[in-house]
Amino acid sequence: AAHLYYFKVAGGTAAPSWYAEGMATQFEGFRWTGSRYAFDRLSRSRLGCVRRAIEQGKHLPVEQLVASDALTLINSDTDKALVFYAECWALVFYLTQTEQKEQRDGFQRYRDAVDAGKAAPLADFFPDLKALEADFVKFVRRL
């Protein structure tokens, strides 16, 4: 459903692979509030995978993650593809759940750009991807 939504919303510009997969995997962590679905829960399997990758030094740095393509990884390195999907989930989860308002706001601006069909790179919204990665890794380790 998420892939179809972004295919329709993004117009002629395809959503970047990391974003499309990160948004799609958010559907794995939801709960019913009594009146609507809330997509704010942990995906335990994705979390375990990304934690192991971080601890073993095998995670994809954010700069590499956002430049990667799911299909290319699936066809070339299935282990890396599994880490890619887990990190996509974790990065979107982080950017929507972090207590750092400036990062949540930056991600909302990025999402608005993607929804409007713009092909703006994440670095346009987060100029210091290394700092974003450091905050992201700390967040994952605390989960």
Side-chain angles (χ1 to χ4, degrees), residues 75-124:
N75 289 326
S76 65
D77 187 338
T78 54
D79 289 336
K80 194 179 253 188
L82 291 173
V83 171
F84 171 81
Y85 278 93
E87 283 193 51
C88 291
W89 166 81
L91 184 57
V92 170
F93 186 78
Y94 167 69
L95 290 170
T96 58
Q97 302 299 313
T98 180
E99 293 178 2
Q100 296 185 48
K101 185 178 181 332
E102 66 278 0
Q103 291 194 354
R104 284 193 323 272
D105 291 349
F107 187 54
Q108 185 59 57
R109 288 190 302 277
Y110 177 79
R111 291 172 68 182
D112 292 344
V114 171
D115 287 354
K118 296 178 183 163
L122 188 66
D124 285 1

Side-chain angles (χ1 to χ4, degrees), residues 3 15-22 60 64-85 88:
H3 290 300
S17 186
W18 79 269
Y19 179 73
E21 300 308 337
L60 300 166
Q64 183 181 351
L65 178 71
V66 301
S68 295
D69 175 70
L71 189 56
T72 300
L73 289 171
I74 289 168
N75 289 326
S76 65
D77 187 338
T78 54
D79 289 336
K80 194 179 253 188
L82 291 173
V83 171
F84 171 81
Y85 278 93
C88 291

Side-chain angles (χ1 to χ4, degrees), residues 127-142:
D128 190 348
L129 289 179
K130 291 207 182 296
L132 173 64
E133 180 177 346
D135 292 339
F136 164 65
V137 167
K138 284 181 204 170
F139 178 84
V140 168
R141 285 185 167 142
R142 286 192 314 255

Side-chain angles (χ1 to χ4, degrees), residues 27-75:
F27 286 97
E28 297 168 1
F30 65 89
R31 64 188 166 89
W32 178 250
T33 67
S35 61
R36 65 180 182 84
Y37 288 102
F39 296 91
D40 60 354
R41 293 276 175 109
L42 292 176
S43 172
R44 296 281 175 206
S45 61
R46 301 279 185 200
L47 177 58
C49 181
V50 74
R51 273 186 177 158
R52 279 188 302 280
I54 287 170
E55 294 309 316
Q56 295 171 359
K58 295 181 179 180
H59 77 286
L60 300 166
V62 169
E63 189 172 0
Q64 183 181 351
L65 178 71
V66 301
S68 295
D69 175 70
L71 189 56
T72 300
L73 289 171
I74 289 168
N75 289 326

